[in-house]
Amino acid sequence: MRDLRNTPEWNALAELRRRGVPVETAAGLFGYSKEEVLRAFGRWAAVEKKKPKVAKDGTTMCPRCGHEAWPVRFGMWVPQPDKPAPKAVMAGCVIGPDEPDWACQNEECGYEWRVDSVSRAGHDGFRDW
Ligand SMILES: [Zn+2]
């Protein structure tokens, strides 16, 4: 099994990941399978423009498959006897810039995404006094 980290496309893939390009798209560009790319990167969060509608229990709906998706929280969950475990994915203590905000709980889907509602076009709407 080849390791994508040793390929010349690695840097290009990393850049696509940073930009939040969906993993299927990035993998397809280089003729790799989605699984192969995911294995090499560990996580791959796509970017969704739309803010998810959050349910009362803090979950949302996967934009891909409609399954329940959980928020990704940083830090560790300490079990408490009087509280049920939260519906959240614990991502540990390290926060990277490309970490997902949400993770689909459907194993076959596995979609992870972050929401980027800020326009990358700049501050055109900004007005001077
Ligand atoms: Zn899903």
Side-chain angles (χ1 to χ4, degrees):
M1 184 63 70
R2 74 191 147 174
D3 188 338
L4 291 189
R5 277 163 287 200
N6 298 327
T7 64
E9 291 86 11
W10 175 252
N11 285 335
L13 277 169
E15 174 65 17
L16 292 172
R17 178 180 183 271
R18 204 179 57 74
R19 292 186 191 176
V21 172
V23 62
E24 294 88 349
T25 309
L29 284 175
F30 299 106
Y32 296 134
S33 71
K34 175 185 153 192
E35 288 72 24
E36 202 172 10
V37 174
L38 276 177
R39 201 180 320 113
F41 280 91
R43 289 208 110 109
W44 187 296
V47 169
E48 293 283 336
K49 288 270 173 269
K50 243 171 69 186
K51 273 208 160 68
K53 226 178 131 208
V54 182
K56 274 207 184 90
D57 62 358
T59 64
T60 191
M61 210 177 79
C62 174
R64 290 279 174 91
C65 72
H67 196 274
E68 190 174 271
W70 291 4
V72 177
R73 297 257 171 80
F74 297 95
M76 303 297 276
W77 164 249
V78 182
Q80 293 167 39
D82 55 336
K83 274 191 195 168
K87 285 189 167 183
V89 177
M90 291 296 156
C93 297
V94 184
I95 302 176
D98 308 319
E99 296 295 336
D101 296 328
W102 297 95
C104 176
Q105 295 304 299
N106 174 5
E107 269 181 44
E108 277 170 34
C109 171
Y111 187 52
E112 296 187 318
W113 76 99
R114 60 181 194 270
V115 180
D116 187 2
S117 50
V118 182
S119 165
R120 291 208 188 267
H123 298 278
D124 290 336
F126 186 83
R127 271 193 291 161
D128 285 317
W129 294 104

